Amino acid sequence: MLSLLVPLLLVNTARAYDWHFADSPTQCQNVTVNISGDGGKPPYRILVIPYGSTTVTHEVRVIKDIPFDGNANSLSFKMDWPKSSQFVAVVSDASGFGTGGTSIAGIVQDSDDNSCYDDSQNVKPDFYYSIDPTNSLVQCQTTRIYWDKSTVQGTPQYQGVIPGGDSFAIPAGTVTDESGLGTGFDWTVNVRTGSTFLLVGGDDRGNGTAGSTLYTISGGTQNDDSCINSDSPSSTAGSPAGGAYATSTSGGGSGSGSSDDNSGGTNVGAIVGGVVGGVVGALALGLLVLFFHRRKRGNKHAGEKPVDLLVGDEGDEGPGRSELPQYYEPEPFIVPDPTVASDSGRGSFEGGRPPSQVLSDGSAPMTSASRKGPRRELRPVNIIQHDDAGPSEAPHHEEEPETVELPPAYTSVRK
């Protein structure tokens, strides 16, 4: 936004004279305009143009083009516009249009008197004008301004008005007739991009008899600035013309002490301060939100406890410090009972006493596995008791039995 405002605030040549409102324009009250300085060339005249909307549902404001009497430096006229109506005023002298400067957008103050205007009337211009391309004014691009010559009196003239800046007469080029575009001329828009611009039309009946149209100058796609120089119309730095007058319904407004008013009547310093303050406030708010978010996450993680899937339900007494949990207690490995029974269910051995795995009746002892289920058939086993640790001849069977060799009994030694 600042990039658009900076080029609008270029300093132009000082005005040869100044003018100001003696008091803020008020509904149905007389307002006085005074000229100061010796640089002006009378006769003077003032052009008051409606700006923005009005409290009335339809347009009742007529553009005022009022000349001063003779060489007078003061003029009084009645402000017959409804309260809260915005306006822009331009003062000129004999040397040209807008030589006294242009006010920013002022506002009509309220009063108890509303008899000066008819809120049922709908103001219409004396003739209409158009532009081509329609609805757009582009910096350094050619625009055709045209009209219906059967509706005008004398030669039409057009003015460019920049609130709070320069106002000028638009130079009328060669007037031509074109099919579909009526009678008109071409104008190169030598106004800076971003400027608020009022195009005012009139004829021999006075300035503004064709009404006015509000535009914002566009840069277009080409951003052509070939026609822009130090003399190009723009908003001006310093106090706007008109002196002290209200620019809001609360009575606050423009004065000679204000130096940063722009074309819309808004203080540039306030805009910059508002933008900077908004950015700083947004950053502070973001940092505050980030701080509380991290703090909340930290508290959440600090309050979490590890879940022990091996811990029993509440009320179960856990192991002491020196005891292992039940799930970690070692269990002894128990060797299963050997199966030493033969095909007949009895043990077979030679000499000596039977091993402990064979019962006195020759059957294998009952094990936990055999008690729990049906008794399975045991494979045949030959048990050989060695006397001298020598090999023994295995008995012949249809199925070769497994041989289990035992150490010598050494019974003969005892004898």
Side-chain angles (χ1 to χ4, degrees):
M1 180 166 57
L2 293 177
S3 62
L4 295 178
L5 291 175
V6 171
L8 297 180
L9 299 179
L10 299 177
V11 178
N12 288 267
T13 57
R15 295 187 295 267
Y17 63 97
D18 294 314
W19 64 274
H20 64 276
F21 289 109
D23 46 28
S24 292
T26 303
Q27 172 184 280
C28 297
Q29 303 297 313
N30 287 336
V31 57
T32 301
V33 177
N34 295 319
I35 304 293
S36 60
D38 298 329
K41 297 179 180 180
Y44 301 98
R45 66 189 308 121
I46 186 170
L47 181 67
V48 184
I49 311 164
Y51 183 87
S53 60
T54 178
T55 55
V56 182
T57 56
H58 48 275
E59 187 58 79
V60 298
R61 298 169 295 178
V62 178
I63 294 178
K64 297 180 178 297
D65 183 26
I66 308 173
F68 286 55
D69 291 335
N71 294 333
N73 291 337
S74 180
L75 169 69
S76 292
F77 62 93
K78 180 172 287 188
M79 178 54 75
D80 55 356
W81 291 0
K83 64 179 182 180
S84 301
S85 297
Q86 287 184 292
F87 65 90
V88 173
V90 184
V91 172
S92 309
D93 67 356
S95 62
F97 177 78
T99 54
T102 308
S103 74
I104 61 173
I107 193 165
V108 177
Q109 299 300 292
D110 191 11
S111 75
D112 295 333
D113 186 2
N114 60 359
S115 62
C116 61
Y117 65 91
D118 182 5
D119 58 7
S120 64
Q121 69 176 350
N122 190 10
V123 173
K124 295 181 180 181
D126 292 335
F127 72 97
Y128 294 94
Y129 67 89
S130 303
I131 64 172
D132 181 56
T134 59
N135 303 322
S136 177
L137 292 177
V138 182
Q139 174 185 282
C140 295
Q141 299 299 306
T142 300
T143 295
R144 179 173 175 81
I145 303 175
Y146 62 97
W147 58 91
D148 181 358
K149 63 183 179 181
S150 64
T151 61
V152 303
Q153 293 182 8
T155 302
Q157 63 271 346
Y158 296 87
Q159 296 83 31
V161 175
I162 300 177
D166 299 325
S167 294
F168 57 96
I170 295 176
T174 304
V175 177
T176 60
D177 293 328
E178 292 188 13
S179 177
L181 295 178
T183 302
F185 61 90
D186 292 339
W187 170 54
T188 299
V189 183
N190 61 330
V191 182
R192 300 178 188 278
T193 299
S195 298
T196 302
F197 184 82
L198 284 165
L199 178 59
V200 183
D203 58 8
D204 290 352
R205 287 168 286 192
N207 293 330
T209 53
S212 65
T213 308
L214 180 64
Y215 299 95
T216 298
I217 304 300
S218 170
T221 58
Q222 300 178 358
N223 293 317
D224 183 9
D225 60 356
S226 59
C227 67
I228 300 299
N229 53 44
S230 59
D231 296 328
S232 298
S234 66
S235 294
T236 57
S239 300
Y245 50 92
T247 57
S248 67
T249 55
S250 61
S254 174
S256 59
S258 174
S259 60
D260 291 322
D261 294 296
N262 65 11
S263 62
T266 305
N267 188 279
V268 176
I271 293 177
V272 176
V275 172
V276 174
V279 172
V280 173
L283 289 176
L285 181 60
L287 291 174
L288 188 63
V289 172
L290 181 62
F291 169 76
F292 282 108
H293 178 67
R294 289 187 173 181
R295 184 176 181 182
K296 182 177 179 181
R297 289 182 59 187
N299 292 339
K300 181 179 179 181
H301 289 302
E304 292 179 353
K305 296 182 179 180
V307 179
D308 189 355
L309 299 178
L310 300 179
V311 176
D313 298 334
E314 294 184 2
D316 294 344
E317 296 183 0
R321 291 181 179 271
S322 60
E323 299 178 0
L324 292 173
Q326 177 182 359
Y327 302 97
Y328 298 105
E329 291 182 358
E331 294 183 0
F333 177 75
I334 302 176
V335 179
D337 297 333
T339 55
V340 294
S342 64
D343 291 341
S344 62
R346 300 179 180 271
S348 175
F349 57 92
E350 294 182 1
R353 64 175 179 223
S356 59
Q357 289 84 359
V358 181
L359 301 179
S360 60
D361 60 356
S363 62
M366 182 78 65
T367 64
S368 59
S370 62
R371 289 195 301 269
K372 292 181 180 179
R375 194 167 189 174
R376 59 189 177 87
E377 183 178 357
L378 302 179
R379 52 192 172 84
V381 177
N382 284 334
I383 299 177
I384 302 174
Q385 182 71 50
H386 285 273
D387 290 335
D388 54 358
S392 301
E393 184 178 356
H396 296 282
H397 295 278
E398 294 180 1
E399 179 182 355
E400 183 177 357
E402 181 182 358
T403 300
V404 177
E405 298 184 359
L406 299 177
Y410 301 107
T411 53
S412 59
V413 176
R414 292 197 187 110
K415 291 181 182 180

